[in-house]
Amino acid sequence: MNNYFIILASGQSKRFNSNTLKQYIIYKNKPLFEHSIEKALTSKLFKKIILVVNNKKQIKNKFSKNVVIIKGGIERSDSSLIGLKYIKKFKPSNVLIHDAARPNFSLQLLKNLVDSLKKNKAVIPTVNTKDSIKYKVKKQLFNLNRDHSFSTQTPQAFRFNDLYNLSIKQKIKIQDEATLFIENNLKVKFIKGENSNIKITYKEDIDTNKTFIGIGFDIHRLIKGKKLYLGGLKIPFHSGLKGHSDGDVIIHSIIDALLGAMRKKDIGTLFPDNKKKFKNIRSPKMLKPVIQIMDKNKFYINNVDINLICEQPKVSKYRDKIIKSLSKLLNIDSSLINLKGKTVEKLGLIGKEKAVACEVIVSIIKYD
Ligand code: ZN
């Protein structure tokens, strides 16, 4: 095992619209580049792991002594060559070059790359292109046949001497090391890459990971002579829900689910029921400040799933109207809301039509 792993983390992330350089943003609980280091360490395939960065002072080397942090160059290819020059003194047999912006490769892929080097000088993972690609040569447009085109990923694996010799002679700016071999008509072995091994280029690429789930539950007693409100809608019924407010179990559960997903405590903290000013408050009014907290913190709703638990009234009769009302109050498309009716086999207080309960799960996403 005389393998070395070079991780390039010195990019300027020009396409990544953020104050923090992309390689240092927190992704899945840790800075982006750490995922690659940890996987390389776990694989036990490498003698040394070299992290190439813009500014050594920005990173504390808290890893094992086999991890070395060095300063890179202006272009990606400069940093790659600096890394290769650094490891030359160790007389490596093989080297893998990897972009820190791809944190999701598998240990199996690392193993496959190293294994394939036994019979090949350059091994590159590829995936089929998902988009139809056009290209332009001197104002003339061409279609790239999707069946004959594919995307290359990193890590890319090489016999050290072959890559080193090509790299020191290289004159053009290259986007990956495979390019060097291809430009020089040298044989490259392509192996199956991974669709999950995405390159984080734009902020949108990682926002999908900022999804949070919240749960809410509420129950109110039914009493004669009170108006019944469910989901902000007045429902004709002989009884209404007792409570400090209008007792709207659906809205109360939604509020708690949203606060839960945002990790902002609960409805009781926002609206203490010993406060006179909240007496008989309509629930849509209680929802408003919660929506404001969401807007302020750039949270958006993915979906709302509601279980209304009661014997009467029958949910099916009011489902569409309640969803429409909620969609207005939450300011979201009604297709994001689902409402299920649940009876309880006449059991307990709910079964005897003395109470109505509700449970809600929401999923929200944060964009910033
Ligand atoms: Zn309530």
Side-chain angles (χ1 to χ4, degrees):
M1 182 199 81
N2 195 16
N3 309 316
Y4 288 72
F5 195 64
I6 296 176
I7 302 167
L8 303 175
S10 58
Q12 297 301 317
S13 31
K14 284 174 196 144
R15 289 174 289 180
F16 195 80
N17 182 24
S18 167
N19 292 332
T20 313
L21 279 177
K22 177 174 71 182
Q23 51 272 36
Y24 305 132
I25 53 146
I26 301 294
Y27 173 72
K28 296 183 181 171
N29 299 335
K30 54 188 97 159
L32 188 65
F33 69 89
E34 282 192 30
H35 292 276
S36 300
I37 294 180
E38 285 184 3
K39 278 181 200 168
L41 284 170
T42 310
S43 75
K44 295 193 166 67
L45 286 165
F46 306 99
K47 267 198 180 155
K48 276 196 194 305
I49 295 155
I50 319 299
L51 180 71
V52 189
V53 298
N54 318 66
N55 184 350
K56 275 175 72 175
K57 283 182 196 144
Q58 276 179 313
I59 300 172
K60 216 174 83 205
N61 193 346
K62 55 172 187 180
F63 309 97
S64 81
K65 62 178 182 357
N66 296 330
V67 178
V68 183
I69 300 176
I70 62 170
K71 190 178 173 348
I74 296 165
E75 299 292 338
R76 183 193 184 281
S77 47
D78 301 326
S79 296
S80 160
L81 184 57
I82 289 169
L84 291 171
K85 281 181 174 165
Y86 176 84
I87 60 170
K88 191 168 189 290
K89 55 179 171 283
F90 304 120
K91 298 191 169 47
S93 312
N94 302 320
V95 60
L96 270 66
I97 310 255
H98 180 57
D99 292 322
R102 291 187 191 267
N104 293 328
F105 63 91
S106 70
L107 291 177
Q108 188 59 50
L109 181 62
L110 278 185
K111 202 174 166 293
N112 294 348
L113 285 161
V114 171
D115 283 348
S116 297
L117 273 180
K118 285 175 193 152
K119 287 184 183 158
N120 301 282
K121 290 178 175 174
V123 187
I124 315 295
T126 67
V127 286
N128 293 329
T129 45
K130 285 178 270 183
D131 299 314
S132 300
I133 299 175
K134 318 279 176 265
Y135 64 100
K136 214 168 160 184
V137 182
K138 290 179 183 164
K139 286 186 180 171
Q140 169 118 37
L141 269 175
F142 298 91
N143 285 308
L144 202 60
N145 185 335
R146 205 157 52 188
D147 297 334
H148 301 301
S149 64
F150 46 85
S151 305
T152 57
Q153 301 186 325
T154 72
Q156 301 189 347
F158 307 94
R159 302 266 181 91
F160 177 80
N161 288 334
D162 295 87
L163 178 63
Y164 183 81
N165 292 334
L166 286 171
S167 294
I168 49 170
K169 280 189 289 187
Q170 133 218 346
K171 297 270 185 307
I172 46 160
K173 251 197 236 174
I174 52 155
Q175 282 167 353
D176 67 350
E177 283 60 37
T179 310
L180 283 174
F181 280 73
I182 294 164
E183 291 288 319
N184 287 284
N185 291 320
L186 296 168
K187 197 173 166 254
V188 171
K189 167 77 177 171
F190 293 112
I191 66 166
K192 202 171 177 299
E194 295 168 328
N195 282 322
S196 55
N197 183 18
I198 54 157
K199 183 171 186 180
I200 292 170
T201 309
Y202 303 101
K203 274 190 99 197
E204 301 89 281
D205 294 339
I206 55 168
D207 281 333
T208 48
N209 292 301
K210 292 186 180 169
T211 301
F212 302 89
I213 311 292
I215 184 168
F217 175 78
D218 196 23
I219 183 163
H220 282 265
R221 207 176 269 277
L222 275 168
I223 50 162
K224 287 248 181 314
K226 216 186 156 186
K227 287 174 187 157
L228 177 67
Y229 289 98
L230 289 173
L233 190 76
K234 200 174 128 191
I235 307 232
F237 197 52
H238 53 72
S239 303
L241 292 168
K242 191 182 171 200
H244 196 66
S245 64
D246 63 9
D248 192 326
V249 286
I250 295 183
I251 292 189
H252 296 179
S253 303
I254 290 175
I255 289 174
D256 257 352
L258 289 171
L259 290 172
M262 292 189 286
R263 289 143 293 148
K264 302 260 184 219
K265 298 190 183 142
D266 56 28
I267 190 169
T269 312
L270 269 188
F271 302 100
D273 58 14
N274 54 11
K275 287 249 169 85
K276 267 197 183 136
K277 67 168 175 173
F278 299 133
K279 188 139 177 65
N280 293 324
I281 188 175
R282 285 288 320 278
S283 296
K285 263 197 177 166
M286 301 167 78
L287 187 57
K288 248 192 184 141
V290 180
I291 305 287
Q292 280 162 0
I293 297 172
M294 290 195 70
D295 289 347
K296 203 177 131 225
N297 292 283
K298 295 174 180 164
F299 282 110
Y300 297 82
I301 293 173
N302 287 322
N303 77 309
V304 182
D305 191 16
I306 306 161
N307 280 345
L308 183 67
I309 308 159
C310 58
E311 297 291 338
Q312 290 290 341
K314 287 281 169 246
V315 171
S316 52
K317 208 170 155 191
Y318 301 101
R319 179 179 283 123
D320 292 349
K321 278 186 179 162
I322 292 175
I323 288 178
K324 204 175 155 197
S325 162
L326 287 172
S327 116
K328 255 193 192 153
L329 294 171
L330 293 164
N331 195 20
I332 59 171
D333 197 271
S334 58
S335 65
L336 303 178
I337 304 169
N338 189 61
L339 172 61
K340 310 196 281 300
K342 196 96 195 106
T343 58
V344 290
E345 305 268 331
K346 310 241 179 270
L347 290 166
L349 273 181
I350 297 171
K352 293 189 179 75
E353 297 187 36
K354 290 206 157 74
V356 174
C358 182
E359 53 189 7
V360 166
I361 284 183
V362 298
S363 155
I364 61 174
I365 185 165
K366 186 173 172 68
Y367 290 104
D368 48 28

